[in-house]
Amino acid sequence: MSTTLSMRQTPAHTIYRVLECRPDSYRDWLNQGHGLRDEGRYEEALTSYNRALDYKPHDFWALYWRADVLDALGQYSEALSSYDQALAEKPTDYWSWCQRATVLRELQRYEDAIASYDHALDTRPDDYWAWYNRGRVALEDLDWYKEAITSFEEALKLRPTDYWSWYRLGDAQRHLARYGEAIASYEKALETQPDDYWAWYRRGDSLRRWGCLEDALASYDRALEIKPTDPWSWYQRGEVLRKLGRYPEAVASYDQVLASDPDDEYAWYNQACCYALLGNQEGAIASLQAAIRLNPSEYLLAQTDSDFDHLRGHEPFAALLKG
């Protein structure tokens, strides 16, 4: 039995402070590391795991949990090294490969993270989380949209009603301009979470790009029922209404954008276009002035924009474009 300096009780465990240790005290150091890690005392836990490794340098569990606390401390390169050492002892450990992948993502080594998830899937080919997280790296970090689609489709074989896999599958399909498939995926996500703002918003984006403007408008309206002050949906709603020639409604939508973000140059400019098409010279000039104030290059765009053609003979408009 090892000799200890002190022993104190905590709500969850007993922590040992080891003074003189025989080689078999590895277990005390390991258990002390676990207790400290559970309390969020990662620096002290790291010391304990390192002491355990003094006695058993190739112990898988001490290497694995040391990597875990190094990750928690943000010491990602050191965590990666510790996971690699753990995997040298236990090459088929699923969790080590998965956690190693999360560390690689923090290090922005995204292709290596994909490879690490692939190793995890060699061990557990039917694991939802490895497929889902692999898909996230492919989608969000690498723009490997086809790879992402494959991963999310595999994840959905395991959890057919999973909201996040359907939503992110839709995102990957949308990026590839596969709008019909993306719309179907967002609708599957909405079956699980019918009041999710983002799925309605992205469904609207896909419908808009697919040319289904009335349906896109309905999708943005549904998003705004859930998040009434969101400038993104108001802006895209304005864009759809502008394309539909419903200029007064578009102006009102841009007003909603500008109530949230008065520095949105695009909302000011497009509102100016709508005012011009309505024959509202005063409104067009005021909105265009705001756009130019935020981005002086907007006057160059206005010089050739056909939306302003019937204002070109008016002195206030001409004066604005002269700067």
Side-chain angles (χ1 to χ4, degrees), residues 72-94:
L73 288 165
Q75 298 179 32
Y76 301 120
S77 295
E78 294 83 355
L80 177 62
S81 176
S82 201
Y83 282 127
D84 285 343
Q85 291 175 66
L87 285 162
E89 305 304 321
K90 197 173 179 181
T92 60
D93 183 68
Y94 165 83

Side-chain angles (χ1 to χ4, degrees), residues 135 139 143-150 152-153 156 164-189 202 205-206 209-210:
L139 171 65
D143 296 342
W144 290 2
Y145 301 125
K146 291 182 180 179
E147 284 284 335
I149 287 169
T150 298
F152 293 129
E153 287 177 341
L156 285 162
W164 284 109
S165 289
W166 280 117
Y167 174 80
R168 289 197 161 94
L169 175 61
D171 275 356
Q173 292 162 332
R174 177 172 55 85
H175 281 294
L176 289 173
R178 292 160 56 173
Y179 298 124
E181 294 170 67
I183 291 161
S185 292
Y186 292 130
E187 288 173 353
K188 292 293 288 186
R202 290 305 187 192
D205 284 350
S206 299
R209 292 180 180 277
W210 213 24

